[in-house]
Amino acid sequence: MKAFLIDRYRKGGALQLGQSPEPQLRDNDVIVEIHAAGVNLLDGKIRDGEFKLILPYRLPLVLGNDVAGVVVQVGANVRRFKPGDEVYARPAQDRIGTFAEYIAMDQADVAMKPANLTMEEAASIPLVALTAWQVLVERANLRKGQKVLIHAGSGGVGTIAIQLAKHLGAYAAATTSTANVALVKSLGADVVVDYKKDNFEKVLQGYDVVLNSLGKETLDKSLAVLKAGGKLISISGPPDPDFARQNGSGWLLQQVMRLLSFGIRRKSKRQGTSYAFLFMTANGGQLGQITSLIEAGNIRPVIDQVFPFERTNEALDYVETGRAKGRVVVAVK
């Protein structure tokens, strides 16, 4: 089958369009004919080798972490899906590969595609929506009336997180650039801070949760926004010891992550707040709940561009500029 893959880690290198073996079916698997795939910064980071210590992939590797398509085959133990079902998913970390014609995934990671979305729209959802869900619902336990700050409100995670926060009844603030203020307001944000004009840490205070997806400077400043007992949850690092343990990392790697996050953990503890790193995981059950919110009109996808499959490298380059509003998708079929 046709696929975009890498045969070695190389910073900024182009993905190679070539032939890859069709996936093997396991007893709990569904094989999906891929119609569309979301493009993420994560794809570029894997290509660059940034995660090779914590995600030791076997090369050559087909990239791609979001998928929407049609089930064409099911394993012996599969009862939830049948051939012909339209589904979407974020494959498990060790089974990625959506920049291809087919993929095999465990049924536990898959959900029925929202009936009111196209394949391209559906492919834009899984990774970012699961990230927002796992930060706001699982980790933060965000409740009605609480206040949350969402950085990069016009980005892939941000556009979904704002809508999810409002569905949960929270008061949502978001940061973005001047050009994207109107978009972020349209998603329901109660306060939008234009970072080109204002310093968010000087205009926001008393927040229960901050979702950080930006760099160290923003991470440090975010502590000033939180009230006592508040939670700073970052999806861009640094990783912490809890993540290392959950990831099954060895003692040495656990110590490295302890050191990487020592500064921010110490600062947060001093002011009576907490810091946590989240690396989202595949979860078909949670994605099914997200499907219900989409079909009810509580969450809508925001797509910047759809590229044809042959231009997957261009799509990844565009994502890496950081200028995309919402998501970028490749149409495979």
Side-chain angles (χ1 to χ4, degrees):
M1 65 175 182
K2 290 181 182 177
F4 276 94
L5 41 82
I6 56 171
D7 57 10
R8 63 188 176 95
Y9 295 119
R10 182 171 56 184
K11 189 169 181 61
L15 313 185
Q16 302 169 25
L17 178 57
Q19 291 293 320
S20 183
E22 291 197 5
Q24 298 296 307
L25 183 70
R26 303 176 188 174
D27 286 347
N28 292 315
D29 282 356
V30 295
I31 290 182
V32 173
E33 181 183 47
I34 299 172
H35 285 228
V39 185
N40 297 279
L41 282 172
L42 177 60
D43 299 307
K45 291 180 178 182
I46 293 172
R47 172 206 61 201
D48 294 349
E50 287 190 25
F51 294 114
K52 60 186 177 184
L53 287 177
I54 59 175
L55 297 174
Y57 290 110
R58 181 180 298 173
L59 303 177
L61 171 69
V62 180
L63 287 181
N65 287 271
D66 275 311
V67 60
V70 176
V71 175
V72 294
Q73 197 174 353
V74 300
N77 297 336
V78 174
R79 299 292 180 267
R80 295 174 53 211
F81 303 99
K82 64 184 186 303
D85 284 345
E86 295 188 345
V87 298
Y88 70 152
R90 189 276 200 242
Q93 294 168 20
D94 60 347
R95 303 190 72 184
I96 66 170
T98 64
F99 297 159
E101 293 181 292
Y102 297 93
I103 188 170
M105 298 175 286
D106 192 295
Q107 64 174 337
D109 300 333
V110 180
M112 296 295 289
K113 179 183 80 67
N116 57 337
L117 297 189
T118 65
M119 286 291 184
E120 288 80 12
E121 289 170 335
S124 76
I125 291 287
L127 186 143
V128 294
L130 285 169
T131 300
W133 183 279
Q134 289 169 18
V135 170
L136 299 182
V137 177
E138 272 198 319
R139 288 291 185 91
N141 190 27
L142 189 66
R143 300 184 302 278
K144 184 176 181 179
Q146 289 190 313
K147 296 167 69 175
V148 58
L149 167 60
I150 296 161
H151 285 299
S154 64
V157 173
T159 53
I160 301 297
I162 291 167
Q163 297 177 78
L164 179 58
K166 294 310 298 177
H167 169 71
L168 294 170
Y171 181 91
T175 59
T176 193
S177 65
T178 309
N180 297 324
V181 168
L183 168 65
V184 173
K185 283 183 177 178
S186 76
L187 296 171
D190 297 288
V191 175
V192 181
V193 179
D194 181 348
Y195 66 76
K196 294 194 173 184
K197 296 179 180 178
D198 295 302
N199 296 316
F200 72 88
E201 73 277 14
K202 293 181 179 178
V203 297
L204 303 175
Q205 60 183 9
Y207 277 69
D208 299 279
V209 180
V210 176
L211 194 174
N212 178 62
S213 56
L214 302 173
K216 184 180 184 302
E217 183 179 355
T218 301
L219 188 72
D220 289 342
K221 289 179 179 178
S222 292
L223 289 174
V225 171
L226 290 170
K227 67 182 185 182
K231 300 172 183 177
L232 173 55
I233 303 172
S234 180
I235 60 173
S236 56
D240 59 8
D242 285 344
F243 166 72
R245 286 189 290 271
Q246 292 164 9
N247 197 51
S249 302
W251 180 86
L252 181 59
L253 201 51
Q254 287 187 35
Q255 302 315 304
V256 169
M257 293 186 194
R258 184 182 300 277
L259 287 172
L260 286 172
S261 61
F262 176 76
I264 190 67
R265 287 188 292 112
R266 181 176 61 178
K267 289 176 186 174
S268 64
K269 189 175 181 180
R270 279 177 178 170
Q271 69 172 54
T273 60
S274 64
Y275 169 78
F277 170 72
L278 183 131
F279 191 93
M280 63 78 56
T281 55
N283 190 311
Q286 292 176 355
L287 197 55
Q289 294 181 73
I290 291 163
T291 296
S292 298
L293 295 181
I294 293 169
E295 291 182 340
N298 294 309
I299 291 177
R300 64 178 174 89
V302 178
I303 295 183
D304 188 301
Q305 283 194 59
V306 178
F307 288 78
F309 183 57
E310 293 75 17
R311 293 171 57 195
T312 296
N313 275 303
E314 291 179 53
L316 184 52
D317 288 344
Y318 181 56
V319 167
E320 291 184 310
T321 67
R323 294 196 295 268
K325 297 180 182 181
R327 299 301 316 281
V328 174
V329 176
V330 292
V332 179
K333 185 176 175 61

